[in-house]
């Protein structure tokens, strides 16, 4: 098996970056297929936490080719800043990093329009990361977007930017009463970053297909989580890309038949950032304990994350949407201090019990979770590396997840360090 997909099985922030980073040492290529700088993948490099927003999480692993696929939206100015920051931490970003020419760019007017749109939504705001992701994808679909490959022909890029940005300024000023953006300033900045990004621009789909065909190990790295998928998430409280494994083919140019096992990453509990229904959200001191112990703050926005108990109904939905073959459970150690651990095994909706996840956000908001309580282990799992090292109750918790989902748990992460993993089965 030569390609795997790593996807978030909840509302994002499941710890995919750490898992991708540790599997990358057995891979030749790591490919991002969707999202943009709304992602924040925290990886521990030489004991220091490093957050990647656009760079694939394999970038710190020597010898791994990291690719941004055509399904990603790129803020070119932010990317150059991220490259500089990461290089400052001693990580090489040179010929080991390629950007597909077809990936679209996030421009300053996307961020300005998103800010104005979110404000005008009032109480119905989505709580986006304000990185311009939604408007950039909207432009791509309405044929108003600018692929990053156009930077290589700067005159044509300039012509296109002037036309598009002119229309966006009309929208900003006439529709939202906002200030117009300085198009000349934008062009100047783009000229600077175009030179910096030029060596990384490439036509990548054939490269990825060739790697898979020749038996190299390729990891497709997802961002955000399944429940934020534009088609299958809790619409409209979603992001604007296909966060599920279905996004790999259009986001990379690799056909579905060349895509191997799907690894679903889920926390031992659940978090969500931004607005939208969250059935197992805990509003009491337990939720606060999870937030504190799990350091649950957005890696991109710094917002405190909403926290709650593991939701098997939602997890089974994510397993079905993605076709998850193996689960990786992260942050098990965050539950180390709890006496009892509720697990949501069903929903009650308008008095009826169900094990089906309603995609409709209004119905989901009416869910009353049905919990089964598991005994806590009240011992540290930080040092556990094999299943025999885990307290019996912690192992029972993992086995319960397997029993309720019918999917094997390949590993459980028990700390931030790359080594803090209990491996139950080989993935790559
Ligand atoms: P956007 O992706 O910035 O458009 O935000 C849409 C929704 O997705 C908001 O609820 C965000 O909080 C959420 N979101 C976007 N990226 C992430 C992420 O990396 N982790 C968790 N939530 C995210």
């Amino acid at each position: 098996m030569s390609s795997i997909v790593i996807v978030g099985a909840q509302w994002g922030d499941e710890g995919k970056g750490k898992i991708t980073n540790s599997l990358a040492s057995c891979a030749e290529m790591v490919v991002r297929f969707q999202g943009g700088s709304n992602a924040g993948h925290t990886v521990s490099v030489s004991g220091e936490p490093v957050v990647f927003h656009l760079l694939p999480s394999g970038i710190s692993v020597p010898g791994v080719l990291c690719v941004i696929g055509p399904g990603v939206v790129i803020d070119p100015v932010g990317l150059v800043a991220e490259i500089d920051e990461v290089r400052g931490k001693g990580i090489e970003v040179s010929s080991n990093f390629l950007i597909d020419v077809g990936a679209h760019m996030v421009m300053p007017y996307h961020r300005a329009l998103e800010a104005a749109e979110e404000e005008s939504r009032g109480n119905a705001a989505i709580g986006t990361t304000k990185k311009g992701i939604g408007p950039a994808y909207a432009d791509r679909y309405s044929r108003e977007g600018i692929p990053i490959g156009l930077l290589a022909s700067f005159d044509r890029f300039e012509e296109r930017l002037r036309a598009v940005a002119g229309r966006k300024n009309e929208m900003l000023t006439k529709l939202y009463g906002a200030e117009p953006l300085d198009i000349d300033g934008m062009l100047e900045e783009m000229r600077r970053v175009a030179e910096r990004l030029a060596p990384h621009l490439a036509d990548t789909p054939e490269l990825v297909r060739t790697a898979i065909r020749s038996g190299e190990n390729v990891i497709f790295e997802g961002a955000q989580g399944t429940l934020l998928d534009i088609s299958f998430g809790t619409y409209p409280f979603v992001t604007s890309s296909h966060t599920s494994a279905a996004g790999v083919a259009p986001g990379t140019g690799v056909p579905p038949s060349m895509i191997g096992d799907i690894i679903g990453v889920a926390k031992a509990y659940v978090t969500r950032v931004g607005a939208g229904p969250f059935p197992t959200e805990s509003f009491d001191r337990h939720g606060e304990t999870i937030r504190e112990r799990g350091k649950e703050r957005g890696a991109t926005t710094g917002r405190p994350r909403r926290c709650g108990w593991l939701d098997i109904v939602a997890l089974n939905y994510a397993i079905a949407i993605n076709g998850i073959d193996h689960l990786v459970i992260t942050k098990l150690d965050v539950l180390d201090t709890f006496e009892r651990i509720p697990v949501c095994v069903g929903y009650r909706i308008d008095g009826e019990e169900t094990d089906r996840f309603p995609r409709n956000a209004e119905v989901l908001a009416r869910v009353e979770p049905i919990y089964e309580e598991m005994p806590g282990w009240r011992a540290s799992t930080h040092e556990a590396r094999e299943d025999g090292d885990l307290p019996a109750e912690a192992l029972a918790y993992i086995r319960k997840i397997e029993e309720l989902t019918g999917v094997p748990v390949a590993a459980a992460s028990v700390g931030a360090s790359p080594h803090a993993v209990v491996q139950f089965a080989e993935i790559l």
Side-chain angles (χ1 to χ4, degrees):
M1 189 274 300
S2 123
S3 82
I4 59 168
V5 185
I6 297 179
V7 284
Q10 296 162 330
W11 275 288
D13 311 312
E14 296 92 350
K16 299 174 292 295
K18 173 181 167 172
I19 305 302
T20 307
N21 185 257
S22 67
L23 287 172
S25 52
C26 317
E28 277 78 22
M29 224 184 242
V30 176
V31 188
R32 272 277 304 264
F33 59 92
Q34 46 71 229
S37 57
N38 48 351
H41 293 157
T42 309
V43 165
S44 168
V45 181
S46 313
E48 286 290 311
V50 182
V51 184
F52 301 122
H53 296 287
L54 275 161
L55 290 168
S57 301
I59 197 77
S60 65
V61 183
V64 175
L65 179 61
C66 285
V67 176
I68 290 186
V72 176
V73 286
I74 301 171
D75 163 7
V77 178
L79 177 57
V80 166
E82 186 176 338
I83 292 173
D84 288 344
E85 197 185 326
V86 162
R87 279 189 182 146
K89 293 187 170 155
I91 297 170
E92 185 194 339
V93 184
S94 55
S95 56
N96 58 339
F97 174 53
L98 295 179
I99 306 164
D100 189 74
V101 287
H104 277 232
M105 287 191 283
V106 180
M107 302 301 295
Y109 48 77
H110 291 131
R111 281 189 298 277
L113 281 167
E114 180 173 21
E117 282 163 10
E118 275 283 87
E119 201 183 320
S120 74
R121 286 184 187 120
N123 284 343
I126 290 156
T128 69
T129 60
K130 303 235 173 73
K131 297 287 176 187
I133 305 299
Y137 275 113
D139 271 2
R140 184 181 186 216
Y141 282 93
S142 60
R143 279 73 48 90
E144 186 81 334
I146 310 185
I148 198 161
L150 208 55
L151 290 182
S153 324
F154 206 84
D155 290 350
R156 278 180 50 223
F157 165 73
E158 173 168 355
E159 199 182 305
R160 178 112 176 106
L161 183 75
R162 285 196 185 281
V164 176
R167 287 193 281 276
K168 301 298 181 186
N169 269 347
E170 296 265 298
M171 285 171 78
L172 279 168
T173 52
K174 295 191 178 144
L175 190 59
Y176 294 111
E179 287 296 309
L181 296 174
D182 166 16
I183 300 175
D184 288 326
M186 216 182 288
L187 270 163
E188 212 170 291
E189 192 161 44
M190 290 305 294
R191 200 178 285 282
R192 178 181 66 83
V193 297
E195 275 173 31
R196 293 283 311 276
L197 295 177
H200 302 285
L201 295 181
D203 190 349
T204 65
E206 179 55 24
L207 282 176
V208 185
R209 290 193 298 267
T210 305
I212 297 175
R213 246 187 257 115
S214 54
E216 291 187 1
N217 284 328
V218 175
I219 299 175
F220 296 108
E221 178 186 20
Q224 292 83 44
T226 305
L227 303 176
L228 289 172
D229 187 285
I230 185 76
S231 289
F232 304 110
T234 50
Y235 195 91
F237 303 103
V238 293
T239 190
S240 298
S241 64
H242 292 289
T243 57
S244 60
V248 172
T252 63
V254 168
S257 56
M258 288 178 91
I259 298 166
D261 280 7
I262 316 288
I263 317 301
V265 184
K267 277 180 194 167
Y269 49 93
V270 179
T271 62
R272 176 166 201 170
V273 215
F278 176 2
T280 61
E281 184 166 10
S282 168
F283 297 98
D284 60 16
R285 69 193 159 84
H286 296 308
E288 196 49 51
T289 304
I290 293 175
R291 186 154 37 249
E292 270 168 33
R293 287 186 52 80
K295 299 188 179 62
E296 295 294 355
R297 278 186 178 274
T300 298
T301 58
R303 291 181 288 180
R305 295 178 183 143
R306 301 157 65 192
C307 299
W309 304 112
L310 186 62
D311 182 340
I312 295 290
V313 179
L315 185 55
N316 276 333
Y317 173 73
I319 288 169
I321 291 289
N322 292 289
I324 289 173
D325 298 292
H326 310 270
L327 283 169
V328 172
I329 301 297
T330 56
K331 294 190 138 182
L332 184 66
D333 56 304
V334 172
L335 300 183
D336 282 355
T337 58
F338 288 94
E339 208 165 316
R340 319 268 324 152
I341 304 173
V343 175
C344 171
V345 293
Y347 287 170
R348 193 170 292 112
I349 304 173
D350 304 330
E352 297 261 322
E353 284 189 19
T354 180
D355 57 5
R356 291 189 59 171
F357 183 83
R359 276 160 70 196
N360 183 310
E362 281 170 30
V363 179
L364 194 64
R366 297 206 300 275
V367 158
E368 292 169 55
I370 301 169
Y371 287 112
E372 201 176 304
E373 284 210 333
M374 297 285 294
W377 43 95
R378 307 236 280 166
S380 173
T381 54
H382 270 302
E383 305 303 324
R385 298 294 176 265
E386 293 173 17
D387 47 3
D389 300 337
L390 283 174
E393 295 83 355
L395 193 56
Y397 190 72
I398 296 291
R399 297 291 174 238
K400 186 75 179 176
I401 296 172
E402 291 182 320
E403 179 196 316
L404 293 170
T405 60
V407 177
V409 173
S413 153
V414 289
S417 134
H419 309 290
V421 173
V422 182
Q423 185 98 28
F424 301 105
E426 288 295 313
I427 296 176
L428 255 183

